[in-house]
Amino acid sequence: MDVESKLSLILRYPAEEVITVEELKEMLQAGYKLNHYIGFEISGFIHIGTGVVSMSKVVDLQKAGVRTQILLADIHSWLNNKLGGDLETIRRVAVTYYVETFKKIIEVLGGDPAGTRFVLGSDLYHHNDEYWLLLMDITRHLTLSQVRHSLTILGRKMGESIPLAYLVYPPLQVADVFALGAHIPHGGIDQRRAHILAREVAYKIRFYPLEVDGKRVKPVALHHRLLPALNISAKPASKEELSELKMSKSIPQSAIFVHDSPEEIKQKIAKAYCPPREVEYNPVLELLRVSAFREERKTPFVIRRPAQYGGDVEVWSYQELEGLYREGKIHPADLKNAAAEALAGLLEPVYKFFQGPGAKLLEEMKNITITR
């Protein structure tokens, strides 16, 4: 695959931003085997933002010849008091439910589950003096103001009185980039500030220098789109506001989980925010984009409509769909039915996995989330 083809794969939807495209292109042109990483806190059920959106970009990177890595961030989750702050439970969930779910979704999206390295955070740090020296070195080159500014990565609005543990979180995330040799740190657009910190210290740190062919480089930050919560009541005013209104596993009515049944998917989408003619930050359109238009279509996507309203509509591209909806030629109810059908079809193998070999994992997760 030539450089332009690799670049096209990496930059396509759901990618929203790369810092910077020029640096990424230079790395690809060097012909060097690049490393990626994306980290996840270990908490509740995996929804489609984490599962489908994030993993679709992991699959794109695989196809572009990049080594992909998923950090199971157990220490970060403990600091952020996930799953009741029970580190043993966090670790067990990480290496069972999270690993097996991600592997299944990567497979469903056309990737290679064996081609992604899974790293438990505490394994990366254990008996690793160089990592802790790296972390201390990073803190030497960051200010308190920079770290506080990055606290939105925790998914919370921070006041003046915050646990000291939260201030440790951003430097840890920066250290992970270099400890994993990640030329391409990846996350949702809400992770941008931490990745900017990594770029700012890249030439200053002594340990784990990031290199391409012996030349020190800055990490190239890759950020994907966030899925708007299904239950928003108005269009977010900005990308920053969207990060507060994204799908959240802690608010079940806002999200579709990867194990949801077709009927559950249909019920949730039926209640979703989807104003007529509104295409920006429309969660139903986003669901269709990720489920039906991620790849170039070889057959038309059919939106079924009653004959009295014009009958079925065949659509070949997301741009065409968006245009029809903006013009009012597709009713929100018909769009919702189409999204439910497309997403349920995509997730069918995952749903069957959790009805079969993954049923025990799902039951254990239900018990954990109910009790915690």
Side-chain angles (χ1 to χ4, degrees):
M1 187 180 292
D2 61 32
V3 169
E4 290 301 326
S5 297
K6 292 179 180 180
L7 197 61
S8 178
L9 266 176
I10 296 171
L11 296 180
R12 75 174 181 171
Y13 180 88
E16 181 158 324
E17 176 186 58
V18 173
I19 310 172
T20 68
V21 174
E22 293 75 16
E23 289 170 308
L24 176 59
K25 189 171 184 178
E26 287 177 8
M27 287 184 183
L28 293 171
Q29 287 172 334
Y32 190 81
K33 190 74 172 179
L34 302 179
N35 297 320
H36 148 277
Y37 116 94
I38 184 170
F40 294 100
E41 282 194 335
I42 309 303
S43 52
F45 295 118
I46 294 173
H47 62 58
I48 60 171
T50 298
V52 177
V53 175
S54 299
M55 290 306 107
S56 68
K57 191 46 57 183
V58 168
V59 171
D60 286 343
L61 287 156
Q62 279 189 352
K63 292 178 179 179
V66 177
R67 293 191 190 99
T68 54
Q69 303 176 93
I70 293 176
L71 179 70
L72 306 162
D74 59 332
I75 300 301
H76 306 62
S77 306
W78 176 58
L79 286 174
N80 206 10
N81 205 38
K82 298 298 185 179
L83 297 183
D86 186 327
L87 187 54
E88 181 181 344
T89 298
I90 289 168
R91 286 172 173 163
R92 185 174 74 253
V93 169
V95 299
T96 55
Y97 170 75
Y98 270 69
V99 168
E100 294 307 316
T101 302
F102 284 142
K103 284 183 175 180
K104 186 63 185 180
I105 294 171
I106 289 171
E107 176 190 315
V108 167
L109 293 174
D112 176 15
T116 291
R117 176 191 179 205
F118 290 87
V119 182
L120 186 67
S122 52
D123 287 345
L124 178 65
Y125 315 146
H126 188 56
H127 290 322
N128 189 348
D129 290 346
E130 195 164 275
Y131 178 89
W132 297 108
L133 289 170
L134 166 69
L135 180 61
M136 294 302 102
D137 199 13
I138 287 168
T139 63
R140 292 172 62 237
H141 300 292
L142 294 177
T143 67
L144 179 59
S145 176
Q146 286 175 306
V147 173
R148 286 185 62 88
H149 186 64
S150 300
L151 286 178
T152 52
I153 63 175
L154 288 166
R156 296 173 174 162
K157 290 183 178 179
M158 294 294 165
E160 285 302 311
S161 179
I162 60 173
L164 181 58
Y166 293 171
L167 294 174
V168 178
Y169 195 111
L172 269 177
Q173 192 174 18
V174 172
D176 294 335
V177 173
F178 299 100
L180 291 167
H183 304 94
I184 308 175
H186 164 211
I189 195 69
D190 55 340
Q191 305 297 304
R192 187 180 197 273
R193 292 179 181 177
H195 293 159
I196 292 296
L197 292 185
R199 286 176 57 81
E200 289 178 352
V201 303
Y203 293 159
K204 301 174 183 178
I205 57 174
R206 175 181 174 187
F207 302 90
Y208 292 107
L210 194 63
E211 298 179 335
V212 171
D213 281 345
K215 178 185 176 183
R216 185 173 285 213
V217 297
K218 291 182 179 181
V220 171
L222 169 62
H223 303 130
H224 62 250
R225 291 175 68 89
L226 300 175
L227 289 182
L230 297 179
N231 64 336
I232 60 176
S233 57
K235 183 177 76 171
S238 64
K239 291 180 182 179
E240 289 72 23
E241 186 177 336
L242 176 59
S243 69
E244 298 295 327
L245 298 173
K246 64 181 179 179
M247 283 193 181
S248 172
K249 62 188 71 175
S250 62
I251 307 174
Q253 65 270 27
S254 77
I256 293 172
F257 298 103
V258 297
H259 64 267
D260 280 347
S261 69
E263 186 55 36
E264 287 172 318
I265 292 171
K266 185 175 181 178
Q267 289 174 357
K268 288 182 177 180
I269 293 178
K271 299 176 183 177
Y273 173 79
C274 187
R277 298 175 178 263
E278 185 61 65
V279 300
E280 191 175 13
Y281 301 129
N282 184 323
V284 179
L285 276 171
E286 290 287 349
L287 295 181
L288 270 165
R289 191 173 189 181
V290 75
S291 60
F293 296 98
R294 178 172 162 265
E295 303 284 357
E296 185 177 347
R297 295 198 62 88
K298 295 180 172 57
T299 59
F301 180 74
V302 179
I303 297 178
R304 308 192 186 285
R305 300 188 306 181
Q308 63 266 38
Y309 297 116
D312 296 348
V313 178
E314 292 187 349
V315 183
W316 286 91
S317 70
Y318 176 76
Q319 290 71 27
E320 182 185 1
L321 173 68
E322 190 178 87
L324 290 170
Y325 191 74
R326 184 186 291 110
E327 294 167 10
K329 294 180 178 179
I330 297 175
H331 191 274
D334 297 324
L335 192 76
K336 289 180 176 183
N337 288 335
E341 183 178 345
L343 188 59
L346 175 67
L347 292 176
E348 182 180 9
V350 185
Y351 173 68
K352 288 183 176 179
F353 169 75
F354 282 115
Q355 293 298 302
K360 184 178 179 181
L361 293 176
L362 190 60
E363 188 60 33
E364 288 176 350
M365 280 298 296
K366 287 178 179 178
N367 291 333
I368 290 169
T369 55
I370 288 170
T371 57
R372 299 181 189 278

